Amino acid sequence: AQNSIAALVKADSIGCYGSEFDVWLTADNRLVVNHDSTFKGVNMQKSTAQQCTGVTLDNGEQLPTLQQYLEKAGQLKTRLILELKAHKTPEQETRAVEAIVKMVKDMGLDNRTEYITFSRHATKEFIRLAPKGTPVYYLEGDLSPKELKAWGCAGPDYHFSVFKKHPEWIKESHDLGMKVNAWTVNDPKDMKWLIGQGVDFITTNEPVKLQEILQ
């Protein structure tokens, strides 16, 4: 199940660079981990943490809080690729970023955590609030490498179709000292094309397939 603790453990067990997961701020200002804004009838932003964590994932686990997810991560080695979902207001996003950065620091996971988001506001807040040098990537796909560099981003983290349209952005990013990630790449053909273009990272639901290609 996506965003489950089992998925995190599996990613670690096969030596993935990192495990990507998605974070929401609940109505009572708690942080929970889930991909969708509404899952099994529960709206993450409009519900309490208790209501959210009452949801059962497809593998039988309860929907985890960020704290539970990070507690497990503390026993593992894989990096944490934390995506803050775009929220309804900038104020919510700032509250979420503040709480995330504090929790990650308190749990001693600063040096293993990278931040990604579709929200321009949240991107700038992570750059402002996370420890200096923490990788922060922007996901939307509508800014050039030069614009991302000016913000202080670690690089573009765009859908692979964006790089098909703008293959020159890969080299431009590297020339600016930035890294490039493409998501979510499950077809071996696309994996091979991106590897040939020299991207640094590939986000996939098929990590074993990607590892075989890399080998």
Side-chain angles (χ1 to χ4, degrees), residues 44-81:
M44 299 295 135
Q45 291 181 72
K46 292 180 180 170
S47 308
T48 64
Q50 193 175 2
Q51 290 167 322
C52 293
T53 56
V55 174
T56 305
L57 304 182
D58 292 344
N59 65 350
E61 277 180 40
Q62 295 311 112
L63 189 147
T65 63
L66 178 59
Q67 179 146 2
Q68 288 168 330
Y69 195 94
L70 295 180
E71 277 168 0
K72 188 64 189 180
Q75 304 161 23
L76 308 171
K77 287 197 176 73
T78 194
R79 289 180 73 79
L80 302 167
I81 314 300

Side-chain angles (χ1 to χ4, degrees), residues 81-98:
I81 314 300
L82 189 158
E83 177 177 344
L84 178 63
K85 290 296 195 177
H87 283 59
K88 284 196 164 47
T89 68
E91 291 76 22
Q92 271 175 305
E93 290 181 350
T94 295
R95 277 206 307 280
V97 171
E98 286 171 345

Side-chain angles (χ1 to χ4, degrees), residues 116-207:
I116 63 177
T117 180
F118 280 94
S119 158
R120 290 184 174 212
H121 176 74
T123 302
K124 289 176 176 175
E125 290 294 78
F126 275 126
I127 291 165
R128 181 172 75 87
L129 293 165
K132 199 167 165 41
T134 302
V136 179
Y137 293 87
Y138 176 65
L139 298 169
E140 187 63 50
D142 58 345
L143 292 176
S144 71
K146 203 180 279 180
E147 290 170 302
L148 294 175
K149 181 74 175 176
W151 280 14
C153 282
D157 185 346
Y158 290 168
H159 189 266
F160 69 89
S161 62
V162 175
F163 295 118
K164 289 258 171 98
K165 226 179 281 172
H166 293 285
E168 74 282 2
W169 280 2
I170 297 167
K171 184 179 183 307
E172 279 175 34
S173 296
H174 289 154
D175 288 347
L176 290 164
M178 297 194 298
K179 304 269 195 199
V180 175
N181 182 64
W183 54 268
T184 295
V185 189
N186 298 324
D187 185 326
K189 267 202 321 290
D190 297 320
M191 291 174 181
K192 286 173 182 167
W193 184 82
L194 289 158
I195 292 163
Q197 293 292 314
V199 300
D200 301 277
F201 308 109
I202 291 174
T203 299
T204 179
N205 294 323
E206 302 286 351

Side-chain angles (χ1 to χ4, degrees), residues 6-21:
L8 169 67
V9 172
K10 283 285 190 191
D12 183 75
S13 74
I14 61 167
C16 287
Y17 171 82
S19 184
E20 190 269 352
F21 58 102

